[in-house]
Amino acid sequence: MTLRMLTALALAAAGFALAVTACGGDDDSASPATTATTTSTTTETTTTEPTTTAPTTTTVPTPSVKTFTIVVANGRPQGGIKTFTAKQGEQVALVVRSDTGESVHLHGYDLEQPLRNGRTRIVFRAKIPGRFEIELHESDILLGNLQVEP
């Protein structure tokens, strides 16, 4: 018998004994009832061998960032004015390297970052569909366009 079975049996016997003693009549002349309860305990020992499990790794996908790079030399974008396309909801990074010390402005999103050491990076989620100009702000030089498609 298992320890659980013995415990259940002992509890049942105790409950029965309690019920028998509590069910006496109103007769005051009755002799007191005597109940003996016997309980036995058995201990089971279970041995288990240690198990080794290989460590698991969980890979969390990193959101991809669509990066567009514009290089400006002598105040003009190298390779000409380009249109960069992203889908609505995508994470976008505009990277501009320039030999001028201005700031870069993305129209429509009203994002502006100064060029520091000839470089800037503007990161945002493309939530607004449409076509937006990317420019050197102070000199109003068009660097490219961002087309966000639904």
Side-chain angles (χ1 to χ4, degrees), residues 3-55:
L3 184 58
R4 277 192 179 160
M5 292 173 79
L6 286 173
T7 303
L9 186 59
L11 287 173
F16 178 75
L18 183 64
V20 169
T21 57
C23 289
D26 287 351
D27 188 14
D28 289 334
S29 63
S31 61
T34 305
T35 305
T37 304
T38 306
T39 306
S40 63
T41 306
T42 304
T43 305
E44 285 186 27
T45 305
T46 306
T47 15
T48 56
E49 293 297 318
T51 58
T52 55
T53 56

Side-chain angles (χ1 to χ4, degrees), residues 124-145:
F124 63 99
R125 176 130 352 245
K127 293 181 180 179
I128 308 166
R131 185 178 178 115
F132 308 97
E133 291 182 342
I134 306 163
E135 69 174 7
L136 287 177
H137 202 164
E138 288 79 16
S139 60
D140 289 326
I141 296 174
L142 183 63
L143 302 178
N145 295 293

Side-chain angles (χ1 to χ4, degrees), residues 103-106 109-114 120 122 137-138:
S103 62
V104 176
H105 181 237
L106 174 62
Y109 284 83
D110 291 326
L111 298 173
E112 185 173 346
Q113 285 286 345
T120 192
I122 302 172
H137 202 164
E138 288 79 16

Side-chain angles (χ1 to χ4, degrees), residues 66 68 82-88 90 92 106 109 126 128-134 144-150:
K66 198 163 201 174
F68 303 114
K82 297 179 184 174
T83 298
F84 304 100
T85 305
K87 294 210 178 284
Q88 188 174 4
E90 281 186 313
V92 175
L106 174 62
Y109 284 83
I128 308 166
R131 185 178 178 115
F132 308 97
E133 291 182 342
I134 306 163
N145 295 293
L146 174 66
Q147 178 71 39
V148 178
E149 298 176 345

